[in-house]
């Protein structure tokens, strides 16, 4: 059994089949418990399950009903009762697996297996984190943390592929990543590097100009490393690696 939050929140069994979680409110509760990574006070859960005035007459009883549904579908130890709180119990999550793979890839830096580890980590994602259930503040914060880690993992995977000399397929993947993270400078550097290696220097330089224009609109400028990369390409040098820097707009 695995709970998945790297995309729409759901659960699958060992055969990969979807497991019913008992309705939208138990799913919302599950998202809150996964995002917390620890105990969550009952009052906090009530406030985030029903953020407005439209609460049931007995929200504590309703909360207990949703906890019971999760335990029925995920196992009796899936939600633990604490003093005045609940916590996610013995449940495997794709977020936990993702972070474990990221740590393994970091430790394997320079190893022949590092690209495969980064690939496995990135491949766990099916869409935006907690998709459809990221409106509570605590879930949104955790989703943002995971998304940033996803971007770092994706960039590291692309770096490993660049080092291996990959070209056309990598170019398409970098373009897709730029669509999702348009202000992440590392992806832009990788795009420029791939285009330059393919003999498409004019496109690489145009990509730099477009990126600089995007940054200018929000009061930022490219890093010195990216400017240096642009200069190398402009004089016909083929870069071996791209610049690495994250920008947030």
């Amino acid at each position: 059994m695995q709970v998945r939050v790297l995309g729409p929140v759901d659960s699958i069994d060992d055969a990969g089949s979807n497991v019913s979680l008992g309705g939208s409110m138990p799913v919302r509760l599950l998202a809150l418990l996964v995002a917390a990574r620890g105990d969550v006070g009952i009052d906090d859960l009530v406030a985030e399950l029903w953020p407005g005035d439209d609460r049931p007459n007995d929200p504590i009883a309703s909360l207990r009903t949703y906890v019971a549904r999760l335990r029925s579908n995920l196992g009796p130890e899936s939600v633990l009762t604490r003093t005045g709180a609940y916590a996610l119990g013995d449940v495997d999550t794709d977020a936990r697996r993702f972070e474990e793979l990221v740590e393994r890839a970091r430790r394997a830096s320079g190893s022949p297996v590092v690209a495969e580890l980064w690939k496995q980590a990135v491949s766990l994602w099916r869409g935006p984190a907690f998709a459809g259930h990221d409106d509570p503040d605590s879930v949104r914060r955790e989703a943002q943390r995971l998304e940033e880690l996803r971007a770092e993992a994706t960039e590291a995977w692309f770096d490993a592929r660049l080092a291996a000399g990959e070209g056309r397929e990598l170019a398409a993947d970098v373009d897709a990543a730029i669509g999702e993270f348009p202000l992440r400078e590392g992806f832009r550097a990788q795009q420029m590097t791939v285009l330059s290696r393919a003999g498409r220097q004019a496109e690489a330089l145009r990509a730099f100009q477009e990126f600089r224009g995007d940054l200018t609109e929000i009061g930022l400028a490219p890093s010195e490393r990216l400017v240096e990369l642009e200069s190398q390409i402009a004089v016909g040098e083929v870069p071996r690696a791209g610049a690495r820097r994250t920008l947030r707009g």
Side-chain angles (χ1 to χ4, degrees):
M1 189 84 68
Q2 183 186 67
V3 169
R4 302 190 299 181
V5 299
L6 304 181
V9 181
D10 64 10
S11 181
I12 57 173
D13 60 22
D14 294 340
S17 299
N18 283 98
V19 175
S20 172
L21 294 172
S24 62
M25 290 301 283
V27 173
R28 185 179 177 90
L29 171 59
L30 181 61
L32 289 165
L33 294 173
V34 173
R37 296 188 295 164
D39 295 359
V40 191
I42 288 175
D43 290 342
D44 292 333
L45 286 172
V46 168
E48 296 209 88
L49 283 170
W50 298 281
D53 296 328
D54 188 21
R55 292 185 179 179
N57 293 331
D58 190 345
I60 302 299
S62 296
L63 173 59
R64 288 172 179 161
T65 297
Y66 302 147
V67 169
R69 289 185 192 175
L70 290 178
R71 286 171 173 164
S72 175
N73 290 300
L74 297 178
E77 300 300 318
S78 59
V79 181
L80 305 178
T81 301
R82 308 295 196 193
T83 303
Y86 289 106
L88 189 70
D90 185 20
V91 175
D92 183 30
T93 70
D94 58 354
R96 185 179 302 165
R97 288 190 179 185
F98 169 68
E99 295 199 69
E100 288 173 353
L101 283 165
V102 167
E103 286 304 311
R104 287 178 59 193
R106 286 171 173 166
R107 292 195 299 268
S109 179
S111 165
V113 302
V114 68
E116 180 60 27
L117 290 172
W118 286 124
K119 178 181 179 180
Q120 290 178 26
V122 172
S123 297
L124 289 173
W125 286 77
R126 299 167 294 115
F130 296 92
H133 292 276
D134 63 347
D135 50 313
D137 289 341
S138 63
V139 178
R140 187 179 303 111
R141 288 192 297 271
E142 176 66 359
Q144 290 171 347
R145 185 187 73 84
L146 288 169
E147 290 284 357
E148 173 60 23
L149 191 56
R150 173 196 179 195
E152 293 176 9
T154 303
E155 192 175 326
W157 179 35
F158 291 171
D159 272 348
R161 294 166 67 184
L162 270 174
E166 190 172 331
R168 182 176 299 179
E169 184 176 346
L170 176 58
D173 288 347
V174 172
D175 287 347
I178 288 173
E180 291 189 75
F181 304 97
L183 296 182
R184 192 171 184 93
E185 191 171 275
F187 289 141
R188 189 66 65 165
Q190 290 167 338
Q191 180 188 48
M192 293 166 62
T193 300
V194 170
L195 289 171
S196 176
R197 287 181 175 180
R200 298 158 63 185
Q201 282 80 5
E203 292 177 60
L205 296 173
R206 186 161 55 249
F208 173 80
Q209 295 299 333
E210 290 174 354
F211 182 62
R212 183 164 65 181
D214 291 342
L215 292 183
T216 300
E217 291 181 3
I218 57 175
L220 296 174
S223 70
E224 291 183 7
R225 294 180 66 185
L226 195 67
V227 172
E228 290 172 4
L229 179 63
E230 188 262 353
S231 298
Q232 291 176 13
I233 295 171
V235 298
E237 294 182 18
V238 178
R240 292 190 297 175
R244 295 285 300 273
R245 177 182 175 222
T246 301
L247 295 172
R248 300 179 183 86

